[in-house]
Amino acid sequence: MKKVVQKLKMACTICLVIALLVPATVFAKATPVSKNGRLQVKGSKIVNEHGKPFVIKGVSTHGINWFPQYVNQKAFQTLRDKWGVNTIRLSMYTAEYNGYCTGSSQNKKDLKKIIDNGVRYASNLGMYVIIDWHILSDGNPLTYQKEAKAFFKEMATKYKNKKNVLFEICNEPNGSEGNWSNIKKYANSIVKTIRSVNKKAIIFVGTPTWSQDVNEAVNSKVSGTNIAYSFHFYASTHKQDLRNKLEAAVKQGLPVVVTEFGISDAAGNGVISKQEGNAWMKLLDKYKIGRVCWSLCNKNESSALIKSTSSKTSGWTRADLTEQGKWLVKIYTK
């Protein structure tokens, strides 16, 4: 009996020594960032640091000026561990309600604080994070170019050593002035600003018609490296003709990421279409195209992922999810 006790003590001592000598990171759970490192654009694909295709499976916040409560670490952990999400998109409106460019100076500080918190939570969890300059009613990205340059200079400087931070510089250009000529002029300026301090982060450039006309970028790309182009769809409205447009652009070598999508109508509400949503996922899977679903909130609309009757800001169960939310979890975790 004494010999058994001695052996147990010796075994425990050895385990303790190993635990003290081996870095804690060896025992830490692998995360999207720890497994894939800094993402890059290679040809028409997003690849990891080993050069292997990486598929962004993301969720976008709604406007952080409307729903800041969902920017919390427990929420992001639920998305990562229960929903199969590897990327968070922090959506910051520029012109709408308390927008960055239309609100007060205190409002700007508050929005930047939410972004900083969001980056920190995502980093703690080893997730990728997209900082989204969410233009919408200001359809021409040149409208607030001065503000965008200052903002992205600050963000690029602040997070230049973060492998997981990505930049989306113009959400949905639209209207006659949101044309490719103006977008490209704007993008060249913002890319230059970011690259002056941050050489490697991926930059997503929006395309005309609410980020649908990726075809216009095929033969007239923005100068620089690690640049990809945003494409958005809402499956109940956007169907095979738009899938054809996306596929044609990718076949011609354009790197595209779907930085926003839903299975509702284009207004973010109305009837959802799982059938069309599944057709979109089949196409995205075929070309290993990243995708980010709109949106993490409990707004009373069909594109919200959380039911309006649920006040939870993390730890959601199936009963808390909308029909789109249930569909997304099934798609991301299958």
Side-chain angles (χ1 to χ4, degrees):
M1 186 66 182
K2 286 183 178 179
K3 288 183 178 181
V4 172
V5 172
Q6 286 176 340
K7 286 181 179 180
L8 287 172
K9 285 182 177 179
M10 185 176 292
C12 290
T13 301
I14 292 170
C15 289
L16 179 60
V17 170
I18 291 173
L20 291 171
L21 293 176
V22 178
T25 51
V26 172
F27 301 106
K29 179 181 177 180
T31 66
V33 176
S34 71
K35 287 188 287 187
N36 295 281
R38 187 183 292 277
L39 303 181
Q40 315 164 61
V41 177
K42 186 177 182 181
S44 63
K45 297 280 192 302
I46 301 296
V47 302
N48 65 16
E49 66 180 9
H50 310 295
K52 295 181 179 180
F54 177 84
V55 176
I56 287 173
K57 290 185 177 180
V59 162
S60 178
T61 67
H62 197 292
I64 58 174
N65 39 344
W66 275 286
F67 296 95
Q69 66 268 37
Y70 294 96
V71 181
N72 72 79
Q73 186 157 315
K74 288 184 178 179
F76 293 1
Q77 186 163 0
T78 301
L79 297 179
R80 185 193 70 177
D81 295 348
K82 303 298 184 182
W83 293 27
V85 171
N86 57 36
T87 303
I88 299 292
R89 180 183 187 237
L90 299 173
S91 177
M92 186 187 73
Y93 280 77
T94 52
E96 279 70 19
Y97 169 77
N98 283 334
Y100 185 82
C101 300
T102 57
S104 66
S105 58
Q106 183 59 48
N107 185 61
K108 282 187 177 183
K109 291 178 183 178
D110 293 342
L111 291 172
K112 284 192 285 191
K113 179 62 177 176
I114 296 170
I115 288 174
D116 193 47
N117 287 339
V119 171
R120 179 159 49 87
Y121 302 145
S123 300
N124 290 344
L125 295 165
M127 302 174 76
Y128 295 98
V129 58
I130 300 170
I131 297 176
D132 164 37
W133 184 257
H134 201 88
I135 72 166
L136 189 59
S137 61
D138 48 329
N140 181 356
L142 292 172
T143 302
Y144 294 116
Q145 178 175 281
K146 180 181 177 181
E147 291 84 349
K149 286 180 72 172
F151 174 80
F152 281 110
K153 181 70 172 287
E154 182 178 348
M155 296 296 109
T157 302
K158 193 170 193 176
Y159 303 121
K160 65 180 178 181
N161 296 320
K162 291 276 189 186
K163 292 182 178 181
N164 63 322
V165 176
L166 319 172
F167 300 112
E168 184 170 3
I169 63 174
C170 49
N171 166 61
E172 288 186 350
N174 63 83
S176 60
E177 294 302 309
N179 55 56
W180 185 241
S181 176
N182 284 341
I183 295 168
K184 190 174 179 182
K185 186 185 301 182
Y186 166 85
N188 281 330
S189 173
I190 303 302
V191 167
K192 184 178 179 182
T193 296
I194 292 172
R195 290 294 182 242
S196 70
V197 292
N198 188 316
K199 307 297 183 185
K200 297 178 180 179
I202 289 179
I203 299 169
F204 299 116
V205 179
T207 52
T209 317
W210 295 278
S211 284
Q212 293 169 36
D213 292 342
V214 286
N215 54 298
E216 295 199 33
V218 170
N219 297 314
S220 182
K221 297 184 181 72
V222 174
S223 300
T225 58
N226 280 338
I227 294 171
Y229 298 84
S230 299
F231 181 87
H232 294 178
F233 71 83
Y234 283 84
S236 194
T237 300
H238 305 126
K239 302 181 180 181
Q240 190 59 48
D241 58 337
L242 207 57
R243 287 195 286 274
N244 292 341
K245 181 182 286 189
L246 172 60
E247 185 169 29
V250 172
K251 281 184 173 180
Q252 292 177 79
L254 192 74
V256 177
V257 171
V258 177
T259 55
E260 187 178 311
F261 78 92
I263 58 172
S264 68
D265 65 22
N269 210 355
V271 177
I272 64 170
S273 177
K274 295 179 184 178
Q275 181 179 351
E276 288 295 329
N278 291 338
W280 276 106
M281 291 303 109
K282 185 177 179 180
L283 177 64
L284 300 186
D285 289 343
K286 178 180 178 180
Y287 292 102
K288 294 183 171 60
I289 297 171
R291 69 295 305 254
V292 181
C293 189
W294 180 273
S295 68
L296 184 65
C297 72
N298 67 344
K299 187 177 179 181
N300 188 22
E301 61 181 14
S302 49
S303 63
L305 296 168
I306 312 300
K307 286 181 179 177
S308 59
T309 52
S310 174
S311 60
K312 292 182 184 177
T313 57
S314 66
W316 306 283
T317 65
R318 182 176 171 80
D320 296 304
L321 307 184
T322 62
E323 287 305 304
Q324 176 173 277
K326 294 172 186 174
W327 173 85
L328 184 74
V329 173
K330 183 179 179 180
I331 289 294
Y332 276 7
T333 58
K334 68 178 181 180

